[in-house]
């Protein structure tokens, strides 16, 4: 098969590229616009692989994307490309709507035009909104109504609705996965875990929003990649699959675990103004993907976190290269000097 991976120079997309090159015989083509979140250095170990090809292109640029689809004749399209950071969406929603919704529409139009056998949309548990902190018995299932909080999650929910409309109206052979928070190698240091590792290593303050009580359901990125791989090969067309490993932790627990692992003082923690509209708790019910496709998560959070911290310690050069440009400006705007 020939698989298009959009957003393959970002965090999860790059892990998926490596997953496919290691675990399949498929040809892998990556399209990425190389925004602030995408970095070719992330694909260093794929660029010379005989089954890998890279195009720098924007998924909202229809003419360029059409030429790529015509030349490559993909069997499968997996759409990771997105603006993905909630805090940035609160400051500038426009690019989120353009990339996440219009970009999805263009990829689906081209998938129909060039007879792609499966279009897979990588979505998020954030489309379900949040759950109360005190109701530990509640989980998101595939039937939980969409109920979004941020411009980011609204743009992802808008895209999901459009994907489902393309299935019903045009018969697009599609699937959607909605995953909980990922962590692991190549995670851009604007997100909680890599940001806290980076700051702790530099003895900088660790900015925790509000009281640090918000809960996220953490999944190692390799478990997410395995789930997407199963869905594109065996998932039923037209279906949504939730992906999560029942690893709920409050933010403050995560931050303290990072400091403990690095042997740093909790005095580095600073409580800062809360995120606007901050979702309280995410928690996925993964029963459907487990029972239908036999997916299971493999990483326990503590082991995965330890491995991730070690990856960052071993890959300081990568961290420096991805944070040398626009990141500095973003960091000062967001957190002050
Ligand atoms: P990321 O921000 O690390 O990577 C996004 C990639 O998309 C970057 O390489 C960027 O250059 C590229 N991109 C952005 N706009 C583009 C455009 N217009 N054309 C082509 N490429 C473009 O994001 P991520 O964390 O790897 O997330 C990937 C996908 O998974 C997103 O769709 C996100 O919504 C979803 N998701 C993420 C998580 C998570 O915890 N990170 C969890 C669930 C779902
Ligand atoms: O649930 C899946 C989603 O997870 C994905 O769809 C998003 O693309 C991804 O960014 C992530 O969203 P979150 O908003 O949950 O991730 P983030 O790492 O930004 O924040 C995790 C939690 O940590 C959240 O409660 C906010 C908090 N936080 C974050 C940052 C960046 C802080 O307390 N301090 C910070 O500096």
């Amino acid at each position: 098969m020939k698989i298009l991976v959009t957003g393959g120079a970002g965090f999860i997309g790059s892990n998926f590229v490596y997953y496919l090159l290691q675990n399949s015989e498929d040809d892998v083509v990556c399209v990425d616009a190389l925004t602030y979140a995408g970095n070719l250095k992330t694909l260093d170990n794929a660029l010379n692989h005989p089954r890998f090809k890279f195009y720098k292109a924007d998924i909202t640029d229809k003419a360029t994307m059409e030429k790529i689809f015509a030349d490559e004749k993909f069997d499968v399209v997996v759409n990771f490309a997105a603006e993905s950071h909630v805090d940035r969406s609160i400051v500038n929603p426009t690019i989120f709507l353009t990339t996440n919704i219009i970009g999805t529409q263009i990829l689906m139009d081209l998938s129909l035009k060039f007879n792609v056998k499966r279009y897979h949309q990588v979505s998020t548990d954030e489309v379900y909104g949040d759950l109360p902190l005190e109701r530990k018995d509640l989980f998101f299932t595939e039937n939980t109504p969409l109920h979004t909080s941020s411009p980011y999650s609204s743009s992802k929910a808008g895209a999901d609705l459009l994907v489902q409309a393309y299935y019903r109206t045009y018969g697009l052979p599609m699937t959607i996965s909605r995953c909980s928070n990922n962590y692991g190698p190549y995670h851009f240091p604007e997100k909680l875990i890599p940001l806290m590792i980076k700051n702790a290593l530099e003895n900088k303050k660790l900015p925790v929003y509000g009281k640090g009580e918000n809960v996220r359901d953490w999944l190692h990125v390799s478990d997410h990649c395995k789930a997407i791989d199963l869905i594109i090969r065996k998932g039923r067309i037209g279906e949504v699959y939730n992906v999560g490993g029942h690893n709920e932790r409050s933010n403050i627990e995560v931050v303290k675990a990072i400091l403990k692992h690095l042997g740093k003082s909790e005095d580095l923690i600073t409580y800062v103004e809360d995120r606007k509209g901050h979702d309280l708790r995410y928690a996925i019910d993964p029963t459907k993907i487990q029972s239908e496709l036999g997916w299971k998560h493999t990483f326990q959070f503590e082991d995965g976190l330890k491995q991730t911290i070690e990856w960052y310690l071993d890959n300081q050069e990568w961290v420096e290269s991805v944070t040398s440009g626009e990141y500095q400006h973003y960091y000062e705007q967001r957190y002050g000097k």
Side-chain angles (χ1 to χ4, degrees):
M1 289 205 301
K2 188 181 277 190
I3 304 181
L4 169 62
V5 177
T6 68
F11 166 43
I12 310 176
S14 62
N15 276 277
F16 191 63
V17 165
Y18 289 124
Y19 184 93
L20 288 177
L21 293 177
Q22 280 155 24
N23 297 289
S24 80
E25 297 299 316
D26 298 317
D27 291 320
V28 182
V29 177
C30 170
V31 166
D32 198 296
L34 300 180
T35 69
Y36 78 91
N39 201 294
L40 259 193
K41 194 162 179 53
T42 302
L43 290 171
D44 257 0
N45 298 319
L47 288 171
N48 292 323
H49 195 290
R51 286 190 284 113
F52 182 74
K53 197 189 266 187
F54 178 82
Y55 288 95
K56 180 178 186 304
D58 188 322
I59 58 165
T60 66
D61 174 353
K62 188 164 185 196
T64 303
M65 290 307 299
E66 179 151 2
K67 170 123 184 43
I68 296 171
F69 269 72
D71 289 348
E72 295 290 349
K73 302 185 177 49
F74 301 117
D75 298 295
V76 175
V77 171
V78 185
N79 182 24
F80 291 91
E83 289 293 331
S84 69
H85 193 33
V86 173
D87 291 326
R88 289 184 188 250
S89 81
I90 293 168
V91 179
N92 178 15
T94 309
I95 182 81
F96 284 74
L97 305 187
T98 309
T99 295
N100 299 1
I101 301 180
I102 304 296
T104 297
Q105 182 223 331
I106 287 171
L107 290 173
M108 291 194 297
D109 283 340
L110 294 172
S111 297
L112 284 169
K113 181 165 182 180
F114 291 96
N115 296 315
V116 165
K117 296 186 196 78
R118 181 182 298 255
Y119 175 88
H120 182 74
Q121 178 75 359
V122 181
S123 186
T124 167
D125 60 357
E126 294 201 20
V127 299
Y128 299 123
D130 61 353
L131 297 164
L133 287 177
E134 63 285 0
R135 288 290 307 274
K136 296 286 179 208
D137 56 317
L138 295 180
F139 297 93
F140 297 135
T141 73
E142 289 79 1
N143 296 322
T144 301
L146 303 193
H147 184 83
T148 56
S149 313
S150 71
Y152 162 69
S153 55
S154 304
S155 69
K156 293 296 288 186
D160 281 16
L161 291 172
L162 202 58
V163 175
Q164 288 174 316
Y166 267 58
Y167 171 60
R168 177 156 174 170
T169 306
Y170 307 114
L172 177 76
M174 67 74 168
T175 37
I176 296 175
S177 52
R178 295 186 179 139
C179 189
S180 59
N181 285 62
N182 284 214
Y183 67 99
Y186 301 114
H187 204 180
F188 192 73
E190 65 183 350
K191 308 283 169 61
L192 181 77
I193 289 183
L195 174 72
M196 297 299 162
I197 297 172
K198 181 176 187 296
N199 281 15
L201 286 173
E202 293 169 6
N203 294 313
K204 274 164 93 169
K205 288 288 186 189
L206 274 54
V208 172
Y209 297 164
K211 294 182 184 155
E213 286 171 342
N214 304 58
V215 170
R216 296 294 182 262
D217 184 359
W218 294 98
L219 186 77
H220 194 276
V221 63
S222 63
D223 283 329
H224 187 189
C225 291
K226 201 166 133 203
I228 294 172
D229 188 59
L230 271 174
I231 296 169
I232 62 175
R233 291 170 208 282
K234 295 191 192 155
R236 282 183 295 139
I237 295 291
E239 293 291 316
V240 174
Y241 293 91
N242 281 357
V243 187
H246 286 303
N247 274 307
E248 288 179 52
R249 298 287 184 284
S250 69
N251 295 337
I252 195 67
E253 283 177 302
V254 172
V255 171
K256 286 184 177 173
I258 291 169
L259 287 170
K260 187 166 176 213
H261 188 87
L262 290 170
K264 300 278 182 171
S265 162
E266 289 184 9
D267 292 345
L268 285 176
I269 295 171
T270 175
Y271 293 91
V272 299
E273 190 189 338
D274 210 350
R275 173 184 280 173
K276 289 188 175 65
H278 199 171
D279 280 337
L280 293 171
R281 171 176 168 251
Y282 303 145
I284 281 277
D285 175 353
T287 307
K288 180 174 173 180
I289 190 167
Q290 287 174 341
S291 57
E292 263 190 34
L293 304 182
W295 176 84
K296 274 201 311 257
H297 72 282
T298 52
F299 273 92
Q300 290 311 315
F301 183 66
E302 281 64 30
D303 300 334
L305 186 64
K306 183 167 176 281
Q307 183 239 50
T308 301
I309 293 171
E310 280 158 13
W311 186 89
Y312 279 86
L313 286 169
D314 292 343
N315 289 276
Q316 284 297 299
E317 205 190 313
W318 178 86
V319 175
E320 274 157 36
S321 82
V322 302
T323 55
S324 59
E326 190 266 359
Y327 181 84
Q328 300 299 334
H329 175 68
Y330 166 78
Y331 193 90
E332 279 180 23
Q333 293 272 312
R334 175 90 201 87
Y335 301 102
K337 280 189 190 284

